[in-house]
Amino acid sequence: FKEHASSFWRLAKMNSPEWTYALVGSIGSVVCGTLSAFFAYVLSAVLSVYYNQDHAYMIREIGKYCYLLIGVSSAALIFNTMQHFFWDVVGENLTKRVREKMLAAVLKNEMAWFDKEENESSRIAARLALDANNVRSAIGDRISVIMQNAALLVVACTAGFVLQWRLALVLMVVFLYL
């Protein structure tokens, strides 16, 4: 575990010039997670409106929720695009740095190293491409999804405890023991 953690921190340090992109991408991730919880709340509110007997009230409330869903959908589109764009910039720049370091390390080897079958130019090129892309997906894609889901968890648990604390407590206990 310590070996994987130290390599993660080395990658994070290599990515330090893009900290502003990572910050903006993180903001997009957190807002996207928050909007997912808000979508669920609005849709449940829409379903509860349909149980009302007053037809005029139902139409007025559904119209209000339709505009609210259009606004939330527009915000989700903007922040989801922001999240993926900025985290992709971070990941691509990290991929470039990792490929440059790997290529520099390969080029420092002696000529006899290249004569071995496992060190053919096609295999080296494939390793450069695959390993660097795995690093990009580990940093850019996974961190953005982890942040988005963490924000969703915090907002959903907070809303659950505010709205129905007993049911939220039961769900938390079930969630923790599964």
Side-chain angles (χ1 to χ4, degrees):
F1 177 75
K2 287 184 179 181
E3 181 180 318
H4 291 293
S6 66
S7 63
F8 175 79
W9 287 115
R10 277 187 25 217
L11 288 174
K13 286 178 185 174
M14 283 178 65
N15 228 0
S16 61
E18 283 85 28
W19 70 270
T20 54
Y21 290 103
L23 180 67
V24 174
S26 299
I27 291 169
S29 299
V30 169
V31 172
C32 281
T34 304
L35 289 176
S36 297
F38 194 67
F39 266 123
Y41 179 75
V42 170
L43 289 177
S44 65
V46 167
L47 289 175
S48 68
V49 168
Y50 281 119
Y51 288 107
N52 197 323
Q53 299 296 325
D54 186 11
H55 189 67
Y57 172 79
M58 187 187 314
I59 290 175
R60 187 174 59 250
E61 287 297 306
I62 293 299
K64 179 177 77 172
Y65 285 125
C66 284
Y67 288 123
L68 187 60
L69 282 173
I70 289 171
V72 171
S73 299
S74 301
L77 176 69
I78 291 167
F79 284 103
N80 207 346
T81 303
M82 186 172 84
Q83 168 193 355
H84 290 289
F85 174 77
F86 285 103
W87 277 111
D88 283 346
V89 168
V90 169
E92 289 300 322
N93 287 337
L94 180 63
T95 302
K96 179 182 168 238
R97 284 191 197 92
V98 167
R99 282 185 179 153
E100 287 172 351
K101 284 191 176 231
M102 287 172 67
L103 185 61
V106 166
L107 293 178
K108 288 180 183 177
N109 290 321
E110 295 180 9
M111 292 300 290
W113 185 81
F114 292 99
D115 291 337
K116 295 181 182 177
E117 187 176 326
E118 65 265 9
N119 298 328
E120 293 175 346
S121 61
S122 60
R123 290 186 182 185
I124 292 172
R127 264 189 266 155
L128 283 172
L130 292 175
D131 292 347
N133 277 336
N134 289 339
V135 167
R136 183 192 63 80
S137 69
I139 291 291
D141 301 338
R142 289 192 181 110
I143 289 179
S144 69
V145 169
I146 287 170
M147 293 189 75
Q148 182 176 353
N149 290 337
L152 174 61
L153 182 70
V154 168
V155 170
C157 287
T158 303
F161 278 109
V162 167
L163 297 173
Q164 286 290 327
W165 68 270
R166 290 179 187 109
L167 181 61
L169 192 61
V170 169
L171 288 174
M172 287 294 291
V173 169
V174 170
F175 179 72
L176 291 175
Y177 283 109
L178 289 180

